[in-house]
C-alpha cells in the first residue's frame, strides 16, 4: 500500500518534528503507560489490567483462551515465506494465472494482453473469503486491490496506451473461482461455472439511500443507479447469507485531469484532484477525467456486495454503509437479529464507523436476508478518556439527516448527501480522528471488537490531537484498539475501550515507542493491518509496514503475520513474508486445517524479489496455503 501512503502524504503533508519534541508533546512514556495506564499488563497477574480490561478479559477468557501451540519464527529478510516447525506452505494462485482454458499463461516482463488479464487472476490480492460447496469443493472470492506498473508493463508505465489502461483496469477488482481438495491440497478448478472476474468495467447496481440521487448521476448514467466497476478493493467481509463484501479504498487516486480542476472542499477531503496517483486512466478513459465527469468519483468509495454462487448476478454498491476509503466490513449478527457492520476509513485522521440494519436477520430463510444492507443507520465513533489513560469510554453518533446538526443549514440537503460525504458528516458531529483504521474483527465470543490502527505520522499535528486511542505523536508503529459494547449489545450507543497492544521497538526505544509490555524483541512488528479470528479465539495480525529493518524498524525484518491470545495478551510471530511484500488477507477451509493468506506486491518499487517463482522471474502477488504436517488445526 506504500504507493497510496505516498499519495496520502501528498494530500496531507506532514511538517517534520524533531524527535525530542514528540515525547514532550505527548507526555506519555513507556513507564507511565505500563504503570499509570496499566492496561497492557501481560504479567502473571490479572490485576495488572485496568478495570476495563479485566471486564474485557473475563469476556474473552470465557472458554476462549485459545491454545497457541506453535513455536515462534524469528524475523526474516529472506525472499521467501517462513512458517513454524511442523508447518508447510504452498502457492495456490498467483497474479496472471488463467482462470479458464485457452487463456494465455502469465508471462514475465509485463507481456500479457488486456484480454488475457480480464480472464486471469488479478493483481495485488488482498481480503478474501472461503465459501464451502462441499467437504472438498469451495469458492474463493479474493480482492485484487491494485497493480504495480513496474511489473504490469514492459515499459513500466512510461508509455501508456488505451490497451494498457484496459489491462490495468482488468488487474483490479475481484477474482472468484472454485477450488477443490485433491490429495489433501486445494487447487484451482479451471473453467468452473463459478469462475468470474469482476474488474473496473463490470456493471454494478447502485443501491440504498444514495441510488438515483443527483450526486450519483453522470452523463453516461443519468439514472444514477448503474456504475461501471470496482477498484482498489482492499479488505472484505462476508455475510451469513453467503455473499461477499468487497471494500473500495483509495478510489481517489484513479481520477485526474489534464486541466486544472478544483472539486471544492469535498473533492479535497476525499483526495480527488487533477493529479492522479500515476495510473493515467483519465488520459485514455474519459470517465476518469474529473473535468469531463466531475461526479463519476461519487460512485466509488463504497462497500460492494457480490453473490459468489451466482456468476450472473450484478454486484450491488450498498450506499447505506457510507462513502469513504473503506478498509473492511466486519459483520456480526447482534442478539435480537440486527446486522451490525463495523467499518474503518483508512486515512490519517479519519474515522471508525458502524452500520446497524433496519430489518432483522432471519436464520430460517436466507433469501429473506439478501437486502439487509439496503436500509439502516450509520454511526461514527467518538472516544473519551481520562487524561493520560489509554482506555476509557466511547459513543456512537448517528449520521442521519436532520439529527446531530446534519441539516441543510450545515450543508446536508438530505440523507444521500450525508452518505456520499460521510467524512464531512463525521466531522460535523465531532467524531474522533484516528490513526488510520484498517481491519476490524469481531471476537468469536461476539462481545469484543478489535481494530488495527496502523500508523499515523500526522498524529500530533493540527486537528489530530494526541490522546485517547491515539496516544503517540508521529505514530510510526501503530496499535490495536478493542472495545466492548455496553451490555454486550452491538446496537448500544455506548462502549468501553482499551488498547490491546501498542507496537514498538524495545531494542531502539525505552519510552512509549518501545511498545506496550506484550511487545518484546522476539515478536516486534510495525503497522498492524489485516486482522481476523479463528473460532477458537486466536487473533491473527498481518502487517503492512516498513521493511527497511533499519533505524526505528531494526530487527523487525519483512512484513509478517502474528498470532495473539486476546485473553492473556500474548503475541507470537507465525510467519514472515518475502522481500518488499505486505501480508494481507486471510481465510480458512471449513475444518481450519488450511489457512489461505495473501502475499501482496513482493518486490514493489523494483526491490529485489523473485517470489514465488525464484530465478529471475517477475515477482507476483500470490495466495498461499498453510497446513500443519500432521493435518491439525492451524495455530493449535
Ligand atoms: Fe488497503 Fe488500508 O489498506
Ligand atoms: Ca490494508
Ligand atoms: Ca496498510
Amino acid at each position: 500500500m506504500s504507493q497510496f501512503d505516498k499519495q496520502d502524504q501528498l494530500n496531507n503533508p506532514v511538517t517534520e518534528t524533531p524527535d525530542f519534541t514528540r515525547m514532550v508533546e505527548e507526555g506519555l512514556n513507556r513507564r507511565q503507560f505500563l504503570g499509570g495506564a496499566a492496561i497492557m499488563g501481560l504479567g502473571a497477574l490479572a490485576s495488572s489490567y485496568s478495570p476495563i480490561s479485566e471486564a474485557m478479559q473475563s469476556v474473552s477468557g470465557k472458554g476462549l483462551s485459545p491454545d497457541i501451540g506453535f513455536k515462534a519464527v524469528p524475523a526474516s529478510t529472506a525472499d521467501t515465506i517462513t512458517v513454524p516447525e511442523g508447518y508447510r506452505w504452498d502457492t495456490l494462485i498467483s497474479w496472471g494465472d488463467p482462470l479458464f482454458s485457452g487463456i494465455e499463461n502469465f508471462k514475465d516482463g509485463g507481456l500479457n494482453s488486456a484480454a488475457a488479464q480480464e480472464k486471469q487472476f488479478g493483481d495485488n490480492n488482498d481480503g478474501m473469503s472461503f465459501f464451502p460447496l462441499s467437504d472438498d469443493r469451495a469458492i474463493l472470492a479474493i480482492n485484487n486491490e491494485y497493480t504495480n506498473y513496474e511489473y504490469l508493463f514492459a515499459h513500466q508505465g512510461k508509455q501508456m496506451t488505451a490497451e494498457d489502461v484496459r489491462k490495468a483496469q482488468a488487474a483490479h477488482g475481484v477474482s472468484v473461482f472454485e477450488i477443490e481438495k485433491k490429495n489433501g491440497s486445494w487447487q484451482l478448478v479451471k473453467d468452473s461455472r463459478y469462475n468470474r472476474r469482476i474488474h473496473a468495467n463490470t456493471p454494478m447496481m447502485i443501491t440504498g439511500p444514495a441510488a438515483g440521487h443527483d450526486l450519483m448521476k453522470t452523463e453516461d448514467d443519468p439514472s444514477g443507479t448503474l456504475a461501471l466497476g470496482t477498484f482498489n478493493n482492499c479488505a472484505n467481509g462476508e455475510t451469513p447469507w453467503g455473499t461477499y463484501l468487497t471494500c473500495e479504498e483509495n478510489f481517489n487516486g484513479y481520477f485526474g485531469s489534464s486541466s486544472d480542476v478544483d472539486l471544492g472542499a469535498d473533492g479535497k477531503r476525499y483526495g480527488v484532484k487533477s493529479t492522479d496517483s500515476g495510473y493515467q486512466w483519465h488520459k485514455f478513459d474519459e470517465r476518469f477525467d474529473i473535468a469531463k465527469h466531475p461526479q463519476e468519483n461519487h460512485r466509488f468509495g463504497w462497500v460492494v456486495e457480490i453473490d459468489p454462487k451466482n456468476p450472473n448476478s450484478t454486484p450491488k454498491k450498498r450506499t447505506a454503509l457510507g462513502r469513504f476509503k473503506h478498509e473492511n466490513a466486519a459483520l456480526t449478527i447482534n442478539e435480537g437479529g440486527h446486522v451490525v457492520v463495523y467499518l474503518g476509513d483508512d486515512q490519517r485522521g479519519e474515522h471508525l464507523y458502524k452500520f446497524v440494519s433496519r430489518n432483522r436477520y432471519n436464520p430460517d430463510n436466507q433469501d429473506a436476508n439478501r437486502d439487509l444492507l439496503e436500509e439502516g443507520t450509520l454511526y461514527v465513533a467518538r472516544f473519551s478518556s481520562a487524561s493520560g489513560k489509554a482506555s476509557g469510554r466511547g459513543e456512537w453518533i448517528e449520521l442521519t439527516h436532520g439529527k446531530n446538526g446534519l441539516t441543510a443549514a450545515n450543508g446536508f440537503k438530505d440523507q444521500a448527501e450525508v452518505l456520499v460525504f460521510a467524512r464531512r458528516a463525521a466531522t460535523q458531529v465531532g467524531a474522533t480522528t484516528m490513526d488510520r483504521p484498517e481491519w476490524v474483527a469481531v471476537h468469536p465470543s461476539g462481545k469484543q471488537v478489535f481494530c488495527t490502527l496502523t500508523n499515523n505520522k500526522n498524529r500530533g499535528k493540527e486537528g489530530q490531537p494526541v490522546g485517547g486511542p491515539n496516544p503517540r505523536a508521529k505514530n510510526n508503529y501503530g496499535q490495536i484498539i478493542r472495545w466492548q459494547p455496553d451490555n454486550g449489545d452491538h446496537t448500544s450507543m455506548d462502549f468501553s475501550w482499551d488498547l490491546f497492544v501498542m507496537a514498538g521497538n524495545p531494542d531502539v526505544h525505552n519510552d512509549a515507542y518501545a511498545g506496550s509490555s506484550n511487545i518484546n524483541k522476539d515478536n516486534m512488528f510495525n503497522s498492524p493491518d489485516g486482522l481476523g479470528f479463528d473460532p477458537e479465539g486466536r487473533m491473527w495480525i498481518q502487517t503492512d509496514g516498513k521493511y527497511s529493518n533499519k533505524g526505528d524498524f531494526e530487527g523487525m525484518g519483512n512484513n509478517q503475520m502474528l498470532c495473539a491470545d486476546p485473553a492473556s495478551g500474548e503475541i507470537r510471530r507465525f510467519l514472515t513474508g518475502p522481500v518488499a511484500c505486505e501480508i494481507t488477507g486471510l481465510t480458512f477451509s471449513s475444518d481450519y486445517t488450511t489457512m489461505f493468506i495473501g502475499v501482496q506486491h513482493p518486490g514493489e518499487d523494483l526491490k529485489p524479489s523473485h517470489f514465488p517463482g525464484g530465478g529471475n522471474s517477475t515477482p507476483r502477488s500470490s495466495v498461499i496455503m498453510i497446513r500443519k504436517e500432521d493435518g491439525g488445526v492451524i495455530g493449535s
Side-chain angles (χ1 to χ4, degrees), residues 1 126 145 234-235 249 327 346 438-439 529-530 544 582 584:
M1 178 51 45
D126 204 313
E145 188 181 30
C234 186
E249 194 186 18
E327 182 73 21
D346 179 11
E438 299 252 27
W439 292 46
D529 187 338
D544 169 22
E582 165 183 347
T584 184

Side-chain angles (χ1 to χ4, degrees), residues 279-298:
Y279 288 104
Q280 306 171 59
W281 290 6
H282 64 278
K283 294 182 186 168
F284 299 94
D285 182 348
E286 70 163 54
R287 186 154 70 92
F288 296 93
D289 184 335
I290 61 169
K292 294 180 177 145
H293 302 281
Q295 297 213 135
E296 178 67 11
N297 75 90
H298 296 168

